[in-house]
Structures are given as C-alpha cells and as structure tokens.
Amino acid sequence: MPFTLPSRTPTGPRRRSLLASAAGAVVLAGCSAPESSTDTTGGSPSAADRARARAARDSETLAARYAAVITAHPPLAERLSPLRAEVVRHAKAFGGTGSSKPSATAPSPSPSPTPASPSASVSASASASPTVPTSEKDALTDLASAERTLADQRAKALLEAPGELARLLASVAAAGAAHAFLLTEGAK
C-alpha cells in the first residue's frame, strides 16, 4: 500500500477570510455616532473625546493621502476609491466631517522617484498637501505603510479607551490592516 502525502495548502489567512473578519468586526462594532462624554471636568474634553477627535483627524488625513494618490495616478482610482470611501466613513464614525474629497488642487507627483518617507506621521495636518511618489507601486506602498502605522496606533490606543470607543478603534484598526494587505497584495 503506497503512502500518500496530504495535499499542501498555503498557511496563513486567506484574502477572503481577512476581508470577512474585517467586515465582521465593522458590523459587530457598528460605526455609530459619537457618544457625548459625561466624563468632562470643568469644560475640558475627556480622554475619550480627545482620542475620538484624534482618530477622526487621522482618518481625514489618510483620506487626503488617498485623494492625492488618486489625483496623481488616475489609473489607480478604480482600485483606491472604495478604500478611500471606507476611510471617509471611519472619519465620520469618529465624529469627523469626512469632507476631504479628491479635487483638482490635490498635489501632483513629486519630482523625485523615491517614495515618501514611510515614517511620515499619519496624523499630520490634513490641510498640508501630502507628497505623492511618482511611481504607482511606490504610491501604493506608501499608502499601505500609512494604513499599517495608523492601524498600529489605534490598536495601542484602544487599550486605554472606554468600551464603545475601544470597539470602534478595534474595528477601524482591523479595516486598516485589511486595507494595507489589499494594497500590498495587488502590488505583487
């Protein structure tokens, strides 16, 4: 009787399971309107309010980066528009305006062929024009790096956030990790 080896299947999460878990996390956490905090003292915002405002600003900044890449590299628009729309919804869920839209005034690609620094802060001002790498691949890598950095920041912040905000941060961090995966997988 011959010995047969079991079929070899790839290890690690599959793309569908990663997307399904991210979508499930969003459904479970619910992107609800911000709750008013009762933990304010003397008119100053609570830690939860500050964390919510920071998360909204970070999402708006990331949406502006997506808009800049879409404007600089129109062939990527079909691929990036759904991801950007999700980031705008995240900003709204945190209480932001979600008003950063792609416009004709978005920056053009930078003259240097090197990608923007991956260590650039995601929480930089949304009004500052993000630098867009000239190559589409570098632009996607830069966006994936920004998504990963922001997802990591949110995962750390949720440890100190109250219940509902922690669930929202976890959900959006999972979505950001899924976005980073989709941005890097398509670049291969």
Side-chain angles (χ1 to χ4, degrees):
M1 178 179 234
F3 179 72
T4 58
L5 294 173
S7 66
R8 183 164 175 112
T9 58
T11 60
R14 299 207 188 279
R15 186 179 310 172
R16 286 185 188 140
S17 63
L18 191 65
L19 289 175
S21 64
V26 169
V27 169
L28 288 176
C31 291
S32 59
E35 298 174 358
S36 61
S37 175
T38 58
D39 192 21
T40 57
T41 56
S44 65
S46 70
D49 289 340
R50 288 189 306 271
R52 187 179 293 275
R54 183 174 47 254
R57 277 192 316 272
D58 289 346
S59 288
E60 288 169 348
T61 300
L62 185 59
R65 289 179 85 161
Y66 270 99
V69 171
I70 289 170
T71 301
H73 300 288
L76 295 175
E78 183 178 342
R79 180 175 175 192
L80 297 180
S81 292
L83 299 177
R84 184 189 170 281
E86 286 297 317
V87 172
V88 169
R89 279 193 282 275
H90 297 158
K92 288 180 183 177
F94 285 119
T97 61
S99 64
S100 59
K101 296 179 181 176
S103 66
T105 61
S108 59
S110 64
S112 75
T114 59
S117 170
S119 63
S121 173
V122 175
S123 60
S125 171
S127 62
S129 59
T131 304
V132 179
T134 55
S135 129
E136 289 180 5
K137 183 178 180 183
D138 290 341
L140 291 174
T141 301
D142 189 50
L143 278 175
S145 175
E147 285 277 14
R148 264 188 234 99
T149 301
L150 189 53
D152 291 345
Q153 288 174 359
R154 288 180 172 159
K156 289 176 187 171
L158 73 87
L159 297 174
E160 297 176 13
E164 184 64 28
L165 180 57
R167 286 187 289 276
L168 183 57
L169 284 167
S171 172
V172 174
H179 289 180
F181 176 78
L182 290 172
L183 288 166
T184 56
E185 277 301 302
K188 289 183 180 177

